[in-house]
Amino acid sequence: MARTCAGRFAMLEDRRLLHRLRHGDKDALRRIYEKYADDLRALAGNLVHDTATAEDVVQDVFVALVRMVPKLHLRRTLGAYLATAVANRARDHYRRRSRERLAPLEDADYLAADTDGPMQIVGNAELLQKLRAAVAQLPYEQREVVMLRVHTRMKFREIAAHQETSIKTALSRYQYGLDKLRSMLNGEVPK
Amino acid sequence: MRSNDSMESMLRKLRYPATAGRREQTLQNIFNVMDEPQEQAPAASRVHIGRITMNTRTTRLALAAAVVLIVLGGLTFRPFGVGGKDQWWLAPPAAWGRELSSALDTIKAVSCREQTVFTAADGSQHPSSTWHLFYVSSDRYRRDIYDGQVLREIQWYVPDGDGMIQHYIRFDLGCYGALRHEGSFGTEDPVERMRFAIGLLDKADTVLDQAILDGRNCIGFEIRGDGLGNHPDLQVLRVWYDVRTRLPVRMERVGRPAGGHTVGTPTTVLDHFTYDSQLPADTFLPQAPPQGFINAHPDDLPRQ
């Protein structure tokens, strides 16, 4: 119940922010950016494997939002709309780059969650490095489902609509993706 | 049974944070777009067109007649629209799409082999040492995984509530167990892949020459580029159908070189299709593990 109320509150807040944005309120745009940009950057980064490109993708999506906002009539949450837009642009980027080799992994590109202590961050760094490499090896569609779900909490129904497939297939892609990651990490993820 | 929680928790830690300066720069770039003057749509001309087409009965009837002519004429004048019943693939794509889909609907079980072949830059081909045999029924699946000629693993997927239980026996590791899956076999399901291919057939840009495959007279279709829709991992899709039964005989999915461990361009081949009654009745029933095998997930086994 609390989660439902929080979700409704977030949607109402988004509607108010979009209304203000339509009237040119830059503070509203800043608030939307602060609310969603980190998750969108994580989504884009894990799909394109490049920090600079991830930031470019997020910027492009917000620029498109600004241009679209006078005509925008959301049929779902703003978060899902932005996540889908990021996934579409990341996919376009992936297509363009698909003949190139993946960029070498950069140690400094990711950080452990803020809740970890310094020792744990050091301890997790190697595992996160391996996990990131494993994510890069996932088939794109599985990777997309996993990242949309994990980083933006999109519903499987929304992910299925984005991938133009059934909910069943989206669920399967998710489960296969996690199973493959588990398998590639050879049981190193703590239980 | 294993939980997804720990893996999801680790994945959430894969962040791509931007520096404060970069974030501010991005926001400034977006603000600059807000300050640009907005382009005005040519609304006056749209209104004028609306008046021409909608405001008199004659023009409304003319518009309706034009739509009917376009629809009927479009079907009649299609280059594919000359086929007879024995050459169904020459009919309009929507028609043979329905034929193929109907044929798929009639099957109760199917098995096929899947193997990936890597084509190197010099044109040489390297088949993967690992290959699969898939068995699919209306609600159950089985996958046999081979390394060369050696059976490494059998997986059975059986319905369980809204999801499936995957039973497995790892002959190479001497273990067995079960995993809970949400949904079905998903992208691994050969029948789903066939339906996916049928959905794209109206985008086929090439009808391949007739060929004898697995002893059957086949007609093939090839789809490339934009026709493949939202599937960036795919470059080319080729499917051959039995001319008589209209059931798939071979499918080739040409992927993209992914870097890392792959050598050249991967092509996943589905072939050796067997339909329906030729499958033994116990195909989809999980077998008891051999004596001495332990109940454990491969990840949980002690490393050598």
Side-chain angles (χ1 to χ4, degrees), chain A residues 21 24 26 29-30 33 38-39 41-42 45-46 49 51 55-56 59 62-63 66-67 91 94-95 98-99 101 109-111 113 116 124 127-128 131-132 135 137 139-142 146-147 150-151 153 162 168 171-176 178-179 181-183 185-191, chain B residues 2-8 10-18 22-36 38 141 143 155 157 166 179-188 192 228-233 235 253 256-262 297-300 303:
Chain A
L21 181 58
K26 288 183 178 173
L29 178 63
R30 181 182 287 276
Y33 181 84
D38 284 348
D39 285 344
R41 203 180 294 106
N46 281 295
H49 303 291
T51 308
E55 186 66 21
D56 288 347
Q59 177 176 306
F62 275 93
V63 165
V66 165
R67 290 191 169 135
R91 189 173 274 250
Y94 179 82
R95 276 187 176 140
S98 55
R99 288 208 170 91
R101 290 176 67 86
D109 263 2
Y110 57 82
L111 293 176
D116 290 342
N124 282 344
L127 178 56
L128 287 172
L131 180 59
R132 189 171 175 233
V135 166
Q137 296 292 322
Y140 190 85
E141 281 157 356
Q142 286 179 11
V146 169
M147 291 306 157
V150 166
H151 283 294
R153 291 177 172 80
H162 164 67
K168 210 167 76 168
L171 282 163
S172 295
R173 285 176 179 165
Y174 184 72
Q175 193 59 53
Y176 273 105
L178 293 192
D179 286 349
L181 289 175
R182 227 177 253 123
S183 172
L185 291 171
N186 203 21
E188 289 187 63
V189 175
K191 299 182 181 69
Chain B
R2 299 164 70 82
S3 160
N4 289 334
D5 292 352
S6 54
M7 179 59 77
E8 288 166 348
M10 287 300 293
L11 285 166
R12 280 193 196 101
K13 293 178 182 176
L14 291 181
R15 312 295 291 184
Y16 282 74
R22 181 69 209 260
R23 290 167 63 92
E24 205 50 45
Q25 181 60 51
T26 300
L27 260 176
Q28 196 53 54
N29 293 342
I30 303 166
F31 287 157
N32 291 343
V33 174
M34 282 182 82
D35 294 335
E36 289 172 2
Q38 301 290 310
Y141 311 88
R143 170 164 45 185
Q155 300 171 349
Y157 294 75
Q166 176 200 327
L179 297 166
R180 179 86 167 78
H181 284 266
E182 292 184 85
S184 71
F185 217 36
T187 51
E188 311 287 339
E192 287 293 319
L228 294 167
N230 218 7
H231 297 273
D233 283 335
Q235 286 195 89
R253 295 165 60 98
R256 297 182 185 279
H261 305 304
T262 58
H297 189 276
D299 293 356
D300 300 332
R303 284 180 231 168

